[in-house]
Amino acid sequence: MPAHPEAELFVCPNCTHAFSKPESIAHAERFDSSYAEEAHKRWFAHPNIKLFRRVADVIPTGVSVLDVGCGQGDFLRYLSTLRPDLKLTGIDLAPNPDVSGIRFLQGDVLTTEFDEHFDVVPRWP
């Protein structure tokens, strides 16, 4: 993969998922409670429901789901109305208050210690 000017990038040779090495990011974004309203207002105002449905359709019945980088929890909120059989958790660098049926964690998934395992961690296309 060609060098990126803002971060060191890696690509999984098996699934082609790309990710960055956090400490290599030249100008890190601020992830506080105003993040969604300021940095990504249009994206959060128009969630991709077709994509949410496609991912929801392949999640087995009655499993636990961890949404990594959940933002404001739009996908989890969608799942909670569509699939009440699921145990839902989201983790993001920005804080989120827990809501009925969804537990939110604030932190970095790479350094957060979990007291449980998760059956499904969606991989976003």
Side-chain angles (χ1 to χ4, degrees):
M1 168 171 272
H4 191 279
E6 295 183 24
E8 192 174 345
L9 299 178
F10 301 92
V11 177
C12 173
N14 297 320
C15 71
T16 69
H17 177 73
F19 57 96
S20 61
K21 185 176 182 181
E23 59 270 14
S24 74
I25 298 172
H27 304 286
E29 291 183 84
R30 193 180 85 228
F31 294 101
D32 58 16
S33 57
S34 65
Y35 174 77
E37 290 83 21
E38 292 176 14
H40 296 284
K41 185 176 183 174
R42 280 193 47 77
W43 193 92
F44 287 112
H46 306 284
N48 189 339
I49 300 300
K50 285 174 105 175
L51 176 60
F52 288 1
R53 182 61 192 222
R54 202 169 91 210
V55 174
D57 286 346
V58 297
I59 296 175
T61 302
V63 299
S64 60
V65 177
L66 175 65
D67 186 8
V68 175
C70 67
Q72 294 180 309
D74 291 333
F75 173 65
L76 294 171
R77 291 170 202 274
Y78 173 81
L79 273 182
S80 72
T81 60
L82 186 70
R83 300 283 308 277
D85 61 296
L86 302 174
K87 182 177 179 188
L88 304 173
T89 303
I91 185 168
D92 200 276
L93 295 174
N96 282 301
D98 288 344
V99 296
S100 179
I102 306 171
R103 180 176 68 142
F104 287 106
L105 305 172
Q106 181 181 4
D108 182 336
V109 72
L110 299 175
T111 58
T112 299
E113 298 221 6
F114 295 95
D115 57 357
E116 62 185 292
H117 79 278
F118 298 93
D119 301 306
V120 174
V121 179
R123 178 180 163 265
W124 297 100

